[in-house]
């Protein structure tokens, strides 16, 4: 898919204003410092300190320790006006980095493999620029630095801690650096951008025994195999083919020896969909199938099923605002990619349930430089040119939204 778009060497950066181009080396520097000190969800202490120090130095009012490690910076423009929030996530992943770069992770087993180090740098650059150009917008911009996007989720506790209140946020925007898109492209879409995420864990309880005497047993391996097969019928036969959904069993564990029928089997998986009407519906079918198959074999089960994040759904008007801004930042007609939906999940979704907003993708892959590994890969890295593009996008969105 990437190869059908223009190559990154043709990226036109003429729309990045000089003040932001001048910030580029700082953006790279911040991102690399953060990259060397990755932290897992709700443990972003070093990251939060790094952010707070900068905000302090720039004279930006901010509050720390929200939902453990979250930060909210508040930047007032010239006089009263709308309140726009910008959200950035700042956590890393439990992955051992395999990149051999000068700025590689210095923490064993932890890596910024999703680009949240870049999101934090972009949000800092945005804060820095806005604090120096308060005359260029009216109202208030709140910049939300959120912990634990990769799980268990920092957006919800930050909302519960009141980050969208006082002053009340009218709309919210956010971005993800996106290696599925090449540098120089922006993915903007109204409606569902990312999927709802549900998870399940199930134990199948049979009766173990001798591998040569199956009639004395209830074979948990056979039962769980039938369940894995049958679960695939949910998407094939219960979901409207015009809707998208995924049921994945990612883990299946059973047995100890080739001649022993396993007493129990354990499986876990994830469910994804866009249409909010499918909330509860797929989970119900998962349980019906597990219960029905177990009953037919005389097995029992223990099922845990939970919703992690709802679908990330963009507001039509806010997506239009971001799209119109995007078309001024990237000029090529291929630059704005509406077909950028993904079954990946995001807890930006909780913010978008509270206030209208738009989450969008900033293409960051550069195949010529080998910077096109997928997110969550031990060799993930992105073209840092995208950092300045991200700041330019945020600033233009602020200037457009905060002029009423
Ligand atoms: Zn991620
Ligand atoms: Zn991410």
């Amino acid at each position: 898919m990437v190869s059908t778009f223009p190559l990154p060497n043709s990226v036109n950066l003429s729309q990045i204003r000089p003040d932001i181009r001048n910030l580029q080396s700082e953006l790279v520097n911040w991102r690399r410092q953060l990259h060397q000190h990755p932290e897992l969800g709700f443990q972003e202490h070093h990251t939060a300190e790094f952010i707070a120090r900068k905000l302090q130095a720039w004279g930006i009012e901010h509050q720390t320790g929200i939902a453990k490690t979250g930060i909210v910076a508040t930047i007032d423009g010239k006089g009263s006006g709308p309140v726009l929030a910008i959200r950035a996530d700042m956590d890393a992943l439990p992955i051992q980095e395999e990149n051999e770069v000068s700025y590689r992770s210095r923490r064993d087993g932890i890596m910024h493999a999703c680009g949240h180090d870049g999101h934090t740098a972009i949000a800092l650059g945005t804060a820095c620029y806005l604090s120096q150009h308060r005359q260029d917008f009216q109202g208030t911009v709140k910049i939300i630095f959120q912990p634990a996007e990769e799980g268990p989720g920092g957006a919800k506790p930050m909302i519960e801690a009141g980050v969208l209140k006082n002053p009340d946020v009218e709309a919210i925007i956010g971005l993800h650096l996106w290696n599925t898109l090449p540098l120089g492209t922006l993915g903007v879409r109204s409606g569902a951008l990312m999927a709802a995420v549900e998870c399940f864990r199930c134990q199948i309880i049979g009766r173990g025994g001798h591998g040569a005497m199956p009639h004395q047993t209830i074979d948990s391996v056979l039962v769980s195999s039938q369940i894995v097969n049958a679960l695939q019928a949910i998407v094939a036969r219960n979901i409207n083919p015009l809707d998208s959904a995924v049921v994945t069993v990612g883990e299946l564990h059973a047995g100890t020896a080739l001649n022993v029928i396993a007493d129990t089997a354990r499986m876990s998986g994830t469910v994804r969909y866009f249409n909010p009407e499918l909330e509860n519906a797929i989970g119900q079918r998962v349980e019906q199938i597990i219960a029905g198959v177990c009953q037919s074999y005389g097995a029992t089960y223990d099922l845990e099923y939970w919703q992690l994040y709802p679908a990330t759904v963009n507001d039509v008007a806010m997506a239009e605002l971001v799209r119109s801004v995007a078309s001024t930042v990237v000029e090529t007609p291929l630059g704005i990619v509406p077909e950028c939906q993904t079954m990946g999940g995001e807890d930006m979704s909780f913010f978008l349930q509270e206030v209208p907003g738009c989450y969008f993708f900033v293409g960051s892959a550069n195949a010529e430089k080998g910077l096109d590994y997928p997110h969550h890969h031990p060799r993930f890295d992105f073209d840092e040119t995208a950092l300045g593009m991200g700041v330019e996008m945020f600033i233009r969105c602020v200037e457009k939204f905060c002029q009423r």
Side-chain angles (χ1 to χ4, degrees):
M1 173 182 159
V2 167
S3 61
T4 62
F5 292 104
L7 289 170
N9 63 17
S10 64
V11 169
N12 177 0
L13 297 173
S14 61
Q15 296 308 313
I16 313 289
R17 65 192 72 185
D19 279 356
I20 294 176
R21 260 183 272 162
N22 290 340
L23 212 56
Q24 178 67 20
S25 60
E26 285 283 65
L27 292 169
V28 170
N29 178 15
W30 301 335
R31 182 262 162 162
R32 291 184 178 189
Q33 287 189 51
L34 293 166
H35 192 85
Q36 289 175 61
H37 300 101
E39 294 169 301
L40 297 177
F42 293 125
Q43 295 166 29
E44 304 93 336
H45 300 289
H46 171 272
T47 309
E49 225 172 274
F50 183 89
I51 294 164
R53 259 203 318 272
K54 300 265 178 254
L55 297 172
Q56 186 78 35
W58 300 328
I60 297 172
E61 180 194 333
H62 62 281
Q63 223 186 315
T64 60
I66 308 173
K68 292 195 179 134
T69 47
I71 296 179
V72 177
T74 306
I75 306 165
D76 291 320
K78 57 160 185 201
S80 65
V83 182
L84 179 69
I86 292 174
R87 174 273 202 174
D89 44 13
M90 52 186 192
D91 57 320
L93 286 154
I95 293 174
Q96 178 66 43
E97 175 153 19
E98 287 177 14
N99 287 316
E100 278 133 34
V101 289
S102 59
Y103 52 90
R104 68 175 286 170
S105 170
R106 292 189 187 171
R107 302 195 60 189
D108 263 359
I110 304 182
M111 175 192 178
H112 269 294
C114 201
H116 300 184
D117 47 350
H119 302 168
T120 303
I122 290 170
L124 276 174
T126 304
C128 177
Y129 180 93
L130 288 176
S131 70
Q132 292 165 2
H133 296 81
R134 292 179 190 261
Q135 292 304 310
D136 296 349
F137 66 101
Q138 277 184 306
T140 301
V141 176
K142 267 190 186 180
I143 302 189
I144 299 172
F145 295 91
Q146 179 217 296
E149 190 285 325
E150 300 288 0
K156 211 172 178 203
M158 282 200 92
I159 294 166
E160 285 162 2
V163 297
L164 295 176
K165 302 269 168 239
N166 189 31
D168 291 0
V169 168
E170 283 168 44
I172 189 163
I173 52 174
L175 64 76
H176 208 302
L177 294 166
W178 208 234
N179 265 16
T180 307
L181 296 175
L183 179 71
T185 60
L186 296 163
V188 187
R189 193 178 198 286
S190 60
L193 179 77
M194 299 179 81
V197 181
E198 295 176 357
C199 309
F200 61 91
R201 211 175 277 132
C202 184
Q203 183 171 36
I204 306 300
I205 304 143
R207 189 168 61 239
H210 198 297
M213 299 163 198
H215 58 292
Q216 296 171 352
T217 72
I218 295 170
D219 184 355
S220 66
V221 169
L222 180 64
V223 175
S224 52
S225 308
Q226 305 283 16
I227 289 171
V228 172
N229 267 316
L231 289 177
Q232 293 309 312
I234 298 175
V235 174
R237 284 298 172 266
N238 300 129
I239 306 294
N240 182 333
L242 299 177
D243 276 332
S244 304
V246 176
V247 176
T248 290
V249 177
E251 279 184 288
L252 179 57
H253 307 280
T256 52
L258 65 87
N259 59 354
V260 175
I261 287 174
D263 204 38
T264 61
R266 285 176 294 118
M267 63 174 79
S268 67
T270 182
V271 166
R272 309 288 169 108
Y273 57 84
F274 293 119
N275 183 350
E277 286 172 22
L278 294 175
E279 192 180 325
N280 300 324
I282 297 180
Q284 262 174 26
R285 284 295 295 140
V286 167
E287 174 137 34
Q288 279 169 357
I289 285 169
I290 292 173
V293 173
C294 279
Q295 200 217 354
S296 68
Y297 286 86
T300 56
Y301 68 94
D302 186 5
L303 174 68
E304 252 183 288
Y305 193 100
W306 68 100
Q307 188 185 63
L308 190 64
Y309 299 154
T312 302
V313 182
N314 286 334
D315 174 70
V316 175
M318 284 304 292
E320 188 45 49
L321 182 139
V322 173
R323 194 180 296 113
S324 69
V325 164
S327 66
T328 65
V329 174
V330 290
E331 287 171 317
T332 149
L334 286 172
I336 301 160
V337 187
E339 287 78 26
C340 52
Q341 256 182 326
T342 161
M343 296 312 264
E346 245 300 331
D347 74 348
M348 176 73 180
S349 51
F350 288 111
F351 288 112
L352 294 170
Q353 283 187 336
E354 299 295 317
V355 288
C358 179
Y359 195 59
F360 58 96
F361 294 130
V362 175
S364 54
N366 188 337
E368 290 167 11
K369 295 183 184 166
L371 302 171
D372 59 347
Y373 282 94
H375 294 260
H376 296 202
H377 190 283
R379 288 192 184 278
F380 172 82
D381 201 354
F382 59 86
D383 192 318
E384 291 163 325
T385 313
L387 298 172
M389 293 186 70
V391 176
E392 183 68 46
M393 279 297 296
F394 276 158
I395 298 296
R396 288 192 191 211
C397 287
V398 168
E399 289 167 349
K400 188 145 193 175
F401 188 81
C402 297
Q403 55 173 221
R404 291 169 297 167

